[in-house]
Structures are given as structure tokens and as C-alpha cells.
Amino acid sequence: MFIPTKPRSPPRRPGPFTVVTDFAWRAVQTGVVVGKDVSKAFYGKAHTKSYYLGCSTGGRQGMKMVQDFPDLFDGVSAGAPAMNFNNLNTWSAHFLPVTGLNTSDTFVSKELWDVVHKDMLSQCDALDGNADGILEAPDLCRYKADGLLCGNGAAPAGACLTDKQVNTVNTIFSDMKAPNGTVLYPRMQPGSEAAGAFDSYYNGQPSDKADWMKYVVLADPNFDLTKFTPDLWALSDTLNPSDIATNKADISAFRDRGGKLLHYHGTMDAIISSDNSPRYYESVRAALQQEPAELDAFYRFFRISGMGHCRGGPGAHYIGNQNRQLAFPGQADQSVLMDLVRWVEQDQAPGFITGTAFVNDTQGGEVAFTRRHCRWPTMNKFMGGDANSADSWSCVAYNATT
């Protein structure tokens, strides 16, 4: 006898915050826990050490594990982490109202950004002792485009900016602040204009990163991003679904269980301002009330000069944070991952990160120069001799406020 059954209800679609939770932390955390169980069942014994390696969103997820799941990994390598996530996306959305559309009188063309870059180098390139087109410490560069103002007698016609264009450039190189003056997200660091920032943010088009505002914060896919206003900044930061901000400064639990954190960021990052990483480091320093010499025991942050977003750029960016970033394919021993492994397993803490640059940026080809990238809060300074040799540079203390 056939007995009809009640039709099954269609599966519930996950809500937007459920999806965000997966993205924020749950996918990584669940995958690691299950993966360790599978590995134990397959090999018949538990793992002895566990490592994390990631950059950009992967860097943020690694930091999230350090902050909220400190027992998962013995060592974490987090590159260019997308921390302060809500304000990062707000910052990404704010460029379009600053530059305007490419028909606006506030818009700065690619050709004029090239002019800005040359002017910026004339002001800041030698601050590290060597004018080579690479800023070792972009935080020292307090660039203003005022000298490029048309009609000032210095800037030639065709290579000058209007008042509105000068304001556009100066705004981009200024911290993003809430109406009450609170810094929500740091400025774009000087140097990014030569590393793809025009294509990412300055081209007069909405950034794809700004979809966060449309689909999550406002839940309005038809929102016109040219109408973005500062009052939306606080809304995004207050919402903070699934605590995706990933900005917790108290990482003492990770420290106390013996974890090691290797954090790095390219100083020509055109996607995530490299100024955000030392800002986070300093927040940890304040929260734990430890000086750098003490933090060095478990947390070290390195700036990779001339490196773009996780890879590329004119600097010695081959540091082994990805296979295509190995200086010499097959030699994985020279990598930030192995630096981390040696730190965890042999107590050999990395004093610097070794980077290589190649002629024509050809991986494994003719070496152009090498650099020992310094850990915060020091900077690389040219001491004389052959600028292409890492031995001609030294990590020195400096005042980042000057």
C-alpha cells in the first residue's frame, strides 16, 4: 500500500551573516579541527606541530586564529592581513567619492599619477639613504602634492594639478577619519601609486572591495557607491558581523601557550595599506604592555620594502611566502614558512627576512639585488658601498613620527 509522504521543505538558504561567519573564521577553524582528526585516523597518531601560512584574506584568517583560537596552530605566518576589516572595506569604498568619476574635475589620470610618483620620490626616496625608487620606511614620507599645483611657477604645463586634483592626492595620502576625528583606517602609503593602486582604487570606478557596503552593511545591491558618505563608516564598524574586524590586540593566550607569530607586509601594497600593520603591532604592544624586545619572543613584524600586495613590485619581494615567491624554485628552505618552522622547532627566531630581486623580475634568474628586511620597529638604512648587496644595509632605530 502506497502511503504518500509529506514533501520535504526546501533547504534553508544560509543568511548573509551565516555566510560571513564562515568567511570570518568558521571555515578555517572547522577545517583545521576536522583535518587534524582525519590525519590522526589515517596515520594512527596525532600531529606534533601545526602551521598556518596565508596572505591578504589568508593573513586576516591567520590573525583570527591567533586572536580567537590560540590552540590551533604552533606557528602562524600572516602576510598583508586584511585586519580592521570593516573599515578596510569602508576605506576601499571611499576612494570613488574622493577621485570622482573619470569625467570629474577631481579625477587624476594615470599619466598624472606618474607625475605624482616622480614628485613623491623627489621628496622621500633618499630618506633611507639611497635613491633607488624604493621606500624602506614609507611612514617617514609625509608627502603633499602642493608643489604640483598649476601656475605656481614650478610645475610645468601638462604635468601639473588643479586645486581639486591636489586635494584628491592629499586626501588619499591622509588617514581616513570619522567626523569626530577618530582615525578609522590609515592612509594609503606613498609608493602604491606605482604598484597598481590606480587600477585598484583611483580609476574612477567602484572598487569590488566596496561590495561589502552594498551586500552586507546596507543589504542593498542597488546602492550607488558614488553616494557613499562618512556616516556609513560608523555603521559598518558597529555592525561588525561575526567579529570579522579581526582587530583584537590581546593575544596573550597565543603567547602563553608558546605560539609564534611571523607577520609581514609589503610597503608598496596597493590593496591594503601597509600602514595598518604597524598600527596593529603597536596596539598589541599597548595591550600586553610589552616592549619590542619582549614581544620578539613570540611576535615579530617585518616590512618588505618594494613589495606589492603579497607579491611583486620593484623590491626584493621573493621571500618564499608562496611557491611563485620562492627565490629559486625547489629551494623551499629559503622561505618565511621555514623561518617559522625553525623558530618553533629549533628556537631560531628570525632576525630578518631575506628577500631577493631578479633582473626583469624573472624568478630564479639573474639576481639584481638582495635585502635583509628588518623587523619593526627598525628600518633598513643604506650605510654605503654596493647598494645591491644586503651587507650595505643595516636595520636601525628611527623616529617614525618625523
Side-chain angles (χ1 to χ4, degrees):
M1 174 179 169
F2 174 73
I3 301 177
T5 57
K6 183 180 178 180
R8 289 186 179 181
S9 299
R12 293 181 60 188
R13 296 181 63 187
F17 287 2
T18 301
V19 173
V20 171
T21 300
D22 291 340
F23 177 71
W25 60 267
R26 188 161 52 197
V28 173
Q29 186 265 347
T30 302
V32 171
V33 171
V34 172
K36 287 180 177 180
D37 286 343
V38 170
S39 177
K40 182 178 180 179
F42 183 83
Y43 289 104
K45 61 180 181 179
H47 69 284
T48 56
K49 298 295 179 185
S50 181
Y51 296 95
Y52 181 94
L53 178 73
C55 195
S56 191
T57 290
R60 184 200 62 76
Q61 290 169 328
M63 285 294 195
K64 188 68 172 173
M65 298 302 104
V66 168
Q67 294 171 12
D68 289 350
F69 304 95
D71 293 328
L72 281 187
F73 294 101
D74 299 287
V76 170
S77 172
M83 297 181 292
N84 194 3
F85 188 82
N86 303 288
N87 287 326
L88 166 60
N89 286 296
T90 304
W91 178 75
S92 299
H94 101 291
F95 286 105
L96 181 58
V98 171
T99 66
L101 301 173
N102 59 11
T103 55
S104 170
D105 57 3
T106 58
F107 183 75
V108 180
S109 68
K110 178 68 167 63
E111 291 72 24
L112 285 177
W113 272 108
D114 291 341
V115 173
V116 169
H117 179 63
K118 291 178 182 178
D119 187 52
M120 183 275 296
L121 290 180
S122 72
Q123 294 187 31
C124 299
D125 192 13
L127 292 174
D128 54 25
N130 186 48
D132 57 358
I134 298 171
L135 303 185
E136 294 291 331
D139 52 326
L140 290 181
C141 181
R142 301 296 170 181
Y143 176 72
K144 294 293 183 183
D146 301 57
L148 295 177
L149 182 64
C150 294
N152 67 357
C160 60
L161 307 179
T162 66
D163 279 325
K164 291 184 177 181
Q165 290 172 325
V166 167
N167 183 66
T168 294
V169 174
N170 288 346
T171 300
I172 286 172
F173 289 132
S174 299
D175 293 339
M176 185 182 79
K177 297 181 179 180
N180 66 0
T182 301
V183 175
L184 297 175
Y185 199 82
R187 64 177 186 163
M188 177 64 90
Q189 80 284 322
S192 59
E193 66 283 350
F198 181 85
D199 296 328
S200 302
Y201 294 132
Y202 309 161
N203 58 9
Q205 300 294 322
S207 165
D208 59 349
K209 314 298 183 300
D211 283 349
W212 177 261
M213 296 300 304
K214 295 170 64 173
Y215 295 104
V216 178
V217 177
L218 298 174
D220 180 6
N222 297 314
F223 177 71
D224 182 358
L225 285 166
T226 63
K227 308 299 183 184
F228 180 86
T229 54
D231 62 297
L232 297 176
W233 300 350
L235 176 61
S236 175
D237 206 26
T238 301
L239 189 63
N240 188 27
S242 304
D243 191 24
I244 198 171
T246 315
N247 235 19
K248 293 178 182 175
D250 184 354
I251 54 175
S252 57
F254 183 75
R255 174 199 65 192
D256 295 345
R257 56 90 59 186
K260 308 298 184 186
L261 174 58
L262 192 161
H263 173 190
Y264 65 89
H265 205 142
T267 64
M268 289 182 73
D269 194 325
I271 304 295
I272 300 173
S273 173
S274 63
D275 279 8
N276 194 52
S277 280
R279 192 169 181 234
Y280 177 73
Y281 178 97
E282 291 300 326
S283 74
V284 172
R285 179 178 176 178
L288 301 187
Q289 298 183 11
Q290 290 186 301
E291 291 304 306
E294 299 170 293
L295 288 177
D296 274 352
F298 84 102
Y299 176 21
R300 298 190 175 203
F301 165 56
F302 301 84
R303 292 185 296 181
I304 313 301
S305 59
M307 182 185 195
H309 185 58
C310 298
R311 64 186 181 92
H317 66 84
Y318 287 90
I319 60 172
N321 56 316
Q322 308 170 25
N323 279 336
R324 58 184 169 179
Q325 282 285 105
L326 288 172
F328 298 96
Q331 296 185 17
D333 189 60
Q334 300 177 31
S335 67
V336 291
L337 177 58
M338 290 310 299
D339 285 340
L340 184 63
V341 170
R342 284 187 286 267
W343 191 8
V344 170
E345 299 185 15
Q346 301 173 28
D347 200 27
Q348 295 180 12
F352 49 81
I353 289 179
T354 301
T356 305
F358 293 100
V359 175
N360 298 322
D361 202 27
T362 303
Q363 181 186 26
E366 180 184 353
V367 174
F369 60 92
T370 57
R371 194 79 84 242
R372 298 186 190 104
H373 298 295
C374 305
R375 71 180 183 274
W376 184 264
T378 64
M379 67 168 283
N380 237 332
K381 185 84 172 179
F382 179 57
M383 310 306 290
D386 180 6
N388 291 331
S389 170
D391 292 335
S392 298
W393 296 76
S394 182
C395 296
V396 301
Y398 74 109
N399 185 350
T401 62
T402 58

